[in-house]
């Protein structure tokens, strides 16, 4: 074993010159992102349809679609879910090298967190849109609403898709629908699987919430309200026999209790989200009006 004296020399130098930079403030402490326990609660993978499997945690969606040409992963949850996802894939007969594509909903730590690690472990290609690619590459830095509070390992895009584009693997066509608002690059994905001999049109629809967002006169996203309105309209018309959302409980799943829920329709999901959005908007308009009086 080779010992290096360097750490000792460095330490001595620091100890001997304590006042050299004493007047300067400390650099900021790293801020950790804490989350609900259910978001970190592993559950056994289960089938949503013949080729489509839920492999996420109780509170954060991750979906695996097995095709004849390899598998597709949709979302991953938090960064610390990477090993769990790889183990779940293996359990379903998908070796790391068989994962070919990663697609996702939006570039926040609780959905895109493990993408970089999964890319590294599998070599799968990450498919995203231009808006999300920027945020993924920055690892969440300078988020329009959260600043630098929700950082995650940066991931690089391998393919940029446009609204309505189809990504195909092994005979399954995944259509991307831009549903901006929660992030400017928010995406929803639809594809058709089968169950009990019948086609099932599955919609993995992005978050439509506006958690703590400034909706009026937001200098970073001046057209944020228009963006949300567009997303609500798009979601209402999606092919949608089975709805799943990045936060499963938002679409009626209670995965702590059951894997066979009565989920919302896409229309009901959009309606519910729009009325919550309208309430927030009304509150912010009232507050703004009071401020001007
Ligand atoms: Zn989010």
């Amino acid at each position: 074993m080779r010992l290096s004296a360097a750490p000792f020399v460095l330490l001595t130098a620091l100890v001997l010159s304590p006042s050299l930079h004493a007047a300067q403030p400390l650099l900021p402490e790293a801020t950790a992102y804490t989350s609900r326990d259910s978001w970190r609660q592993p559950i056994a993978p289960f089938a949503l349809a013949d080729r489509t499997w839920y492999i996420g945690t109780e509170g954060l969606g991750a979906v695996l679609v097995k095709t004849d040409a390899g598998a597709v992963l949709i979302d991953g949850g938090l960064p610390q879910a990477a090993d769990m996802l790889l183990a779940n894939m293996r359990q379903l007969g998908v070796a790391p090298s068989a994962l070919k594509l990663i697609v996702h909903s939006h570039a926040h730590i609780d959905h895109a967190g493990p993408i970089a690690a999964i890319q590294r472990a599998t070599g799968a290609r990450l498919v995203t849109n231009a808006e999300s690619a920027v945020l993924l590459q920055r690892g969440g830095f300078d988020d329009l609403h959260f600043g630098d509070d929700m950082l995650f390992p940066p991931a690089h895009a391998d393919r940029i898709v446009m609204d309505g584009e189809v990504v195909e693997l092994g005979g399954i066509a995944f259509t991307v629908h831009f549903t901006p608002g929660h992030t400017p690059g928010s995406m929803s994905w639809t594809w058709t699987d089968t169950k009990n001999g019948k086609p099932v049109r599955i919609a993995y629809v992005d978050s439509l919430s506006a958690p703590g967002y400034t909706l009026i006169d937001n200098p970073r996203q001046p057209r944020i309200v228009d963006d949300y309105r567009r997303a609500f309209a798009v979601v209402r018309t999606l092919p949608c026999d089975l709805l799943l959302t990045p936060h499963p409980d938002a679409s009626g799943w209670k995965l702590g209790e059951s894997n066979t829920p009565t989920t919302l329709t896409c229309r009901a999901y959009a309606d519910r989200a729009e009325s919550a959005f309208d309430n927030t908007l009304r509150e912010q308009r009232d507050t703004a009006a009071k401020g001007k009086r």
Side-chain angles (χ1 to χ4, degrees):
M1 197 165 86
R2 210 158 55 90
L3 284 174
S4 163
F8 177 73
V9 171
L10 184 65
L11 188 65
T12 308
L14 288 170
V15 169
L16 291 180
S17 55
S19 62
L20 201 54
H21 302 294
Q24 298 203 34
L26 284 172
L27 295 172
E29 181 58 282
T31 46
Y33 178 79
T34 54
S35 60
R36 287 180 211 172
D37 286 356
S38 65
W39 294 10
R40 288 174 286 106
Q41 179 61 60
I43 58 172
F46 64 94
L48 293 158
D50 290 341
R51 293 164 176 268
T52 305
W53 294 78
Y54 186 92
I55 63 166
T57 61
E58 185 183 314
L60 292 176
V63 172
L64 186 73
V65 183
K66 295 165 68 175
T67 83
D68 296 339
V72 179
L73 175 67
I74 305 170
D75 267 355
L78 290 163
Q80 54 268 49
D83 288 343
M84 178 203 79
L85 295 169
L86 291 166
N88 285 349
M89 286 182 220
R90 254 185 230 108
Q91 192 188 321
L92 295 172
V94 176
S97 62
L99 186 73
K100 300 301 180 194
L101 295 174
I102 303 169
V103 304
H104 75 111
S105 57
H106 69 270
H108 279 161
I109 186 174
D110 47 342
H111 310 292
I115 287 179
I118 301 281
Q119 276 182 300
R120 263 200 312 279
T122 64
R125 292 165 61 83
L126 171 60
V127 180
T128 183
N129 61 8
E131 282 282 3
S132 295
V134 174
L135 202 50
L136 288 174
Q137 190 142 21
R138 290 201 302 252
F141 267 102
D142 195 30
D143 185 279
L144 295 184
H145 304 280
F146 299 117
D148 300 340
D149 287 347
M150 303 201 316
L151 306 183
F152 55 88
H156 68 269
D158 298 297
R159 175 175 165 186
I160 299 291
V161 285
M162 299 291 282
D163 191 14
E165 201 171 333
V166 175
V167 176
E168 193 270 343
L169 187 74
I172 299 200
F174 300 84
T175 305
V176 64
H177 311 266
F178 287 11
T179 46
H182 186 81
T183 66
S186 280
M187 288 167 282
S188 300
W189 294 86
T190 57
W191 66 100
T192 300
D193 197 346
T194 50
K195 193 175 183 179
N196 302 325
K198 291 188 192 125
V200 187
R201 297 171 306 167
I202 301 175
Y204 187 84
V205 181
D206 199 11
S207 301
L208 297 174
S209 60
Y213 291 5
T214 298
L215 301 177
I216 297 171
D217 296 333
N218 187 328
R220 295 295 306 276
Q221 198 174 352
R223 299 192 192 284
I224 187 168
V225 174
D226 298 339
D227 285 347
Y228 272 96
R229 297 285 182 217
R230 180 179 153 208
F232 299 138
V234 168
V235 170
R236 283 195 184 92
T237 62
L238 293 176
C240 186
D241 298 324
L242 181 65
L243 170 64
L244 191 64
T245 46
H247 294 277
D249 53 350
S251 47
W253 293 78
K254 293 188 176 66
L255 291 177
E257 299 166 18
S258 158
N259 295 344
T260 51
T262 315
T263 64
L264 297 177
T265 62
C266 282
R267 177 170 290 276
Y269 175 60
D271 287 348
R272 188 184 278 194
E274 187 156 30
S275 83
F277 182 85
D278 282 336
N279 286 339
T280 307
L281 191 58
R282 203 173 305 120
E283 281 163 22
Q284 293 191 13
R285 282 202 179 118
D286 289 348
T287 306
K290 274 183 202 134
K292 277 178 192 153
R293 255 184 249 143

PDB file of all heavy atoms in Angstrom, residues 106-111 146 150 182-183 206-207 209 211 213 247, ligand 1:
ATOM      1  N   HIS A 106     -41.526  14.812 -16.975  1.00  0.00           N
ATOM      2  CA  HIS A 106     -40.926  16.145 -16.852  1.00  0.00           C
ATOM      3  C   HIS A 106     -39.665  16.095 -16.010  1.00  0.00           C
ATOM      4  O   HIS A 106     -39.454  15.178 -15.219  1.00  0.00           O
ATOM      5  CB  HIS A 106     -41.934  17.163 -16.317  1.00  0.00           C
ATOM      6  CG  HIS A 106     -42.341  16.957 -14.882  1.00  0.00           C
ATOM      7  ND1 HIS A 106     -43.417  16.183 -14.510  1.00  0.00           N
ATOM      8  CD2 HIS A 106     -41.822  17.454 -13.728  1.00  0.00           C
ATOM      9  CE1 HIS A 106     -43.548  16.215 -13.191  1.00  0.00           C
ATOM     10  NE2 HIS A 106     -42.596  16.963 -12.693  1.00  0.00           N
ATOM     11  N   ALA A 107     -38.836  17.129 -16.200  1.00  0.00           N
ATOM     12  CA  ALA A 107     -37.490  17.121 -15.642  1.00  0.00           C
ATOM     13  C   ALA A 107     -37.466  17.682 -14.224  1.00  0.00           C
ATOM     14  O   ALA A 107     -36.923  18.759 -13.972  1.00  0.00           O
ATOM     15  CB  ALA A 107     -36.548  17.914 -16.556  1.00  0.00           C
ATOM     16  N   HIS A 108     -38.069  16.957 -13.304  1.00  0.00           N
ATOM     17  CA  HIS A 108     -37.956  17.253 -11.879  1.00  0.00           C
ATOM     18  C   HIS A 108     -37.354  16.043 -11.179  1.00  0.00           C
ATOM     19  O   HIS A 108     -37.475  14.914 -11.654  1.00  0.00           O
ATOM     20  CB  HIS A 108     -39.331  17.566 -11.264  1.00  0.00           C
ATOM     21  CG  HIS A 108     -39.787  18.982 -11.513  1.00  0.00           C
ATOM     22  ND1 HIS A 108     -41.094  19.376 -11.396  1.00  0.00           N
ATOM     23  CD2 HIS A 108     -39.071  20.097 -11.855  1.00  0.00           C
ATOM     24  CE1 HIS A 108     -41.184  20.681 -11.662  1.00  0.00           C
ATOM     25  NE2 HIS A 108     -39.988  21.135 -11.949  1.00  0.00           N
ATOM     26  N   ILE A 109     -36.753  16.293 -10.015  1.00  0.00           N
ATOM     27  CA  ILE A 109     -35.989  15.264  -9.303  1.00  0.00           C
ATOM     28  C   ILE A 109     -36.824  14.018  -8.977  1.00  0.00           C
ATOM     29  O   ILE A 109     -36.290  12.904  -8.947  1.00  0.00           O
ATOM     30  CB  ILE A 109     -35.399  15.859  -8.006  1.00  0.00           C
ATOM     31  CG1 ILE A 109     -34.480  14.847  -7.305  1.00  0.00           C
ATOM     32  CG2 ILE A 109     -36.480  16.353  -7.058  1.00  0.00           C
ATOM     33  CD1 ILE A 109     -33.738  15.402  -6.106  1.00  0.00           C
ATOM     34  N   ASP A 110     -38.136  14.195  -8.779  1.00  0.00           N
ATOM     35  CA  ASP A 110     -38.946  13.058  -8.339  1.00  0.00           C
ATOM     36  C   ASP A 110     -39.448  12.185  -9.492  1.00  0.00           C
ATOM     37  O   ASP A 110     -40.181  11.216  -9.259  1.00  0.00           O
ATOM     38  CB  ASP A 110     -40.112  13.519  -7.448  1.00  0.00           C
ATOM     39  CG  ASP A 110     -40.881  14.695  -8.016  1.00  0.00           C
ATOM     40  OD1 ASP A 110     -40.340  15.384  -8.898  1.00  0.00           O
ATOM     41  OD2 ASP A 110     -42.021  14.937  -7.574  1.00  0.00           O
ATOM     42  N   HIS A 111     -39.058  12.510 -10.712  1.00  0.00           N
ATOM     43  CA  HIS A 111     -39.442  11.671 -11.860  1.00  0.00           C
ATOM     44  C   HIS A 111     -38.254  11.345 -12.759  1.00  0.00           C
ATOM     45  O   HIS A 111     -38.168  10.264 -13.332  1.00  0.00           O
ATOM     46  CB  HIS A 111     -40.549  12.352 -12.669  1.00  0.00           C
ATOM     47  CG  HIS A 111     -41.676  12.808 -11.809  1.00  0.00           C
ATOM     48  ND1 HIS A 111     -42.516  11.918 -11.166  1.00  0.00           N
ATOM     49  CD2 HIS A 111     -42.076  14.048 -11.414  1.00  0.00           C
ATOM     50  CE1 HIS A 111     -43.388  12.607 -10.426  1.00  0.00           C
ATOM     51  NE2 HIS A 111     -43.137  13.891 -10.554  1.00  0.00           N
ATOM     52  N   PHE A 146     -38.427  26.542  -8.924  1.00  0.00           N
ATOM     53  CA  PHE A 146     -37.756  26.028  -7.725  1.00  0.00           C
ATOM     54  C   PHE A 146     -36.294  26.467  -7.619  1.00  0.00           C
ATOM     55  O   PHE A 146     -35.614  26.084  -6.667  1.00  0.00           O
ATOM     56  CB  PHE A 146     -37.837  24.498  -7.699  1.00  0.00           C
ATOM     57  CG  PHE A 146     -39.259  23.978  -7.665  1.00  0.00           C
ATOM     58  CD1 PHE A 146     -39.765  23.216  -8.712  1.00  0.00           C
ATOM     59  CD2 PHE A 146     -40.092  24.259  -6.593  1.00  0.00           C
ATOM     60  CE1 PHE A 146     -41.069  22.742  -8.683  1.00  0.00           C
ATOM     61  CE2 PHE A 146     -41.392  23.788  -6.556  1.00  0.00           C
ATOM     62  CZ  PHE A 146     -41.888  23.026  -7.606  1.00  0.00           C
ATOM     63  N   MET A 150     -33.943  21.652  -6.290  1.00  0.00           N
ATOM     64  CA  MET A 150     -34.266  20.242  -6.583  1.00  0.00           C
ATOM     65  C   MET A 150     -33.291  19.697  -7.617  1.00  0.00           C
ATOM     66  O   MET A 150     -33.646  19.463  -8.755  1.00  0.00           O
ATOM     67  CB  MET A 150     -35.703  20.128  -7.107  1.00  0.00           C
ATOM     68  CG  MET A 150     -36.746  20.701  -6.159  1.00  0.00           C
ATOM     69  SD  MET A 150     -38.399  20.065  -6.443  1.00  0.00           S
ATOM     70  CE  MET A 150     -38.536  20.106  -8.214  1.00  0.00           C
ATOM     71  N   HIS A 182     -46.755  22.398 -15.920  1.00  0.00           N
ATOM     72  CA  HIS A 182     -46.019  21.987 -14.711  1.00  0.00           C
ATOM     73  C   HIS A 182     -44.517  22.214 -14.922  1.00  0.00           C
ATOM     74  O   HIS A 182     -43.804  22.665 -14.027  1.00  0.00           O
ATOM     75  CB  HIS A 182     -46.320  20.527 -14.393  1.00  0.00           C
ATOM     76  CG  HIS A 182     -45.718  20.076 -13.101  1.00  0.00           C
ATOM     77  ND1 HIS A 182     -46.287  20.319 -11.880  1.00  0.00           N
ATOM     78  CD2 HIS A 182     -44.564  19.421 -12.836  1.00  0.00           C
ATOM     79  CE1 HIS A 182     -45.517  19.836 -10.923  1.00  0.00           C
ATOM     80  NE2 HIS A 182     -44.461  19.278 -11.475  1.00  0.00           N
ATOM     81  N   THR A 183     -44.029  21.886 -16.110  1.00  0.00           N
ATOM     82  CA  THR A 183     -42.752  22.404 -16.623  1.00  0.00           C
ATOM     83  C   THR A 183     -43.020  22.784 -18.083  1.00  0.00           C
ATOM     84  O   THR A 183     -43.953  22.257 -18.689  1.00  0.00           O
ATOM     85  CB  THR A 183     -41.595  21.363 -16.592  1.00  0.00           C
ATOM     86  OG1 THR A 183     -41.905  20.315 -17.521  1.00  0.00           O
ATOM     87  CG2 THR A 183     -41.371  20.782 -15.213  1.00  0.00           C
ATOM     88  N   ASP A 206     -48.724  13.557 -17.837  1.00  0.00           N
ATOM     89  CA  ASP A 206     -47.880  14.290 -16.897  1.00  0.00           C
ATOM     90  C   ASP A 206     -48.690  15.038 -15.834  1.00  0.00           C
ATOM     91  O   ASP A 206     -49.894  15.234 -15.964  1.00  0.00           O
ATOM     92  CB  ASP A 206     -46.973  15.281 -17.646  1.00  0.00           C
ATOM     93  CG  ASP A 206     -45.785  15.696 -16.791  1.00  0.00           C
ATOM     94  OD1 ASP A 206     -45.562  15.078 -15.737  1.00  0.00           O
ATOM     95  OD2 ASP A 206     -45.061  16.641 -17.186  1.00  0.00           O
ATOM     96  N   SER A 207     -47.974  15.479 -14.807  1.00  0.00           N
ATOM     97  CA  SER A 207     -48.555  16.288 -13.740  1.00  0.00           C
ATOM     98  C   SER A 207     -49.162  17.549 -14.333  1.00  0.00           C
ATOM     99  O   SER A 207     -48.600  18.163 -15.237  1.00  0.00           O
ATOM    100  CB  SER A 207     -47.476  16.685 -12.732  1.00  0.00           C
ATOM    101  OG  SER A 207     -46.880  15.531 -12.169  1.00  0.00           O
ATOM    102  N   SER A 209     -50.391  19.893 -12.021  1.00  0.00           N
ATOM    103  CA  SER A 209     -50.459  20.745 -10.834  1.00  0.00           C
ATOM    104  C   SER A 209     -49.536  21.952 -10.992  1.00  0.00           C
ATOM    105  O   SER A 209     -48.637  21.959 -11.835  1.00  0.00           O
ATOM    106  CB  SER A 209     -50.044  19.938  -9.602  1.00  0.00           C
ATOM    107  OG  SER A 209     -48.716  19.477  -9.768  1.00  0.00           O
ATOM    108  N   PRO A 211     -47.669  23.617  -8.157  1.00  0.00           N
ATOM    109  CA  PRO A 211     -47.371  23.686  -6.718  1.00  0.00           C
ATOM    110  C   PRO A 211     -46.588  24.939  -6.316  1.00  0.00           C
ATOM    111  O   PRO A 211     -45.384  25.011  -6.514  1.00  0.00           O
ATOM    112  CB  PRO A 211     -46.537  22.418  -6.473  1.00  0.00           C
ATOM    113  CG  PRO A 211     -45.932  22.101  -7.816  1.00  0.00           C
ATOM    114  CD  PRO A 211     -46.911  22.577  -8.839  1.00  0.00           C
ATOM    115  N   TYR A 213     -46.638  27.788  -7.648  1.00  0.00           N
ATOM    116  CA  TYR A 213     -46.160  28.579  -8.787  1.00  0.00           C
ATOM    117  C   TYR A 213     -46.811  29.958  -8.812  1.00  0.00           C
ATOM    118  O   TYR A 213     -47.976  30.112  -8.460  1.00  0.00           O
ATOM    119  CB  TYR A 213     -46.509  27.881 -10.116  1.00  0.00           C
ATOM    120  CG  TYR A 213     -45.757  26.603 -10.409  1.00  0.00           C
ATOM    121  CD1 TYR A 213     -44.889  26.030  -9.492  1.00  0.00           C
ATOM    122  CD2 TYR A 213     -45.928  25.967 -11.639  1.00  0.00           C
ATOM    123  CE1 TYR A 213     -44.222  24.853  -9.778  1.00  0.00           C
ATOM    124  CE2 TYR A 213     -45.262  24.789 -11.936  1.00  0.00           C
ATOM    125  CZ  TYR A 213     -44.414  24.233 -11.002  1.00  0.00           C
ATOM    126  OH  TYR A 213     -43.756  23.070 -11.298  1.00  0.00           O
ATOM    127  N   HIS A 247     -47.419  10.866 -10.462  1.00  0.00           N
ATOM    128  CA  HIS A 247     -47.851  10.621  -9.082  1.00  0.00           C
ATOM    129  C   HIS A 247     -49.118   9.774  -9.202  1.00  0.00           C
ATOM    130  O   HIS A 247     -50.186  10.312  -9.522  1.00  0.00           O
ATOM    131  CB  HIS A 247     -48.147  11.937  -8.354  1.00  0.00           C
ATOM    132  CG  HIS A 247     -46.922  12.789  -8.156  1.00  0.00           C
ATOM    133  ND1 HIS A 247     -46.042  12.583  -7.111  1.00  0.00           N
ATOM    134  CD2 HIS A 247     -46.420  13.804  -8.877  1.00  0.00           C
ATOM    135  CE1 HIS A 247     -45.050  13.463  -7.202  1.00  0.00           C
ATOM    136  NE2 HIS A 247     -45.259  14.214  -8.266  1.00  0.00           N
TER     137      HIS A 247
HETATM  138 ZN1  LIG B   1     -42.802  18.041 -10.840  1.00  0.00          ZN
END
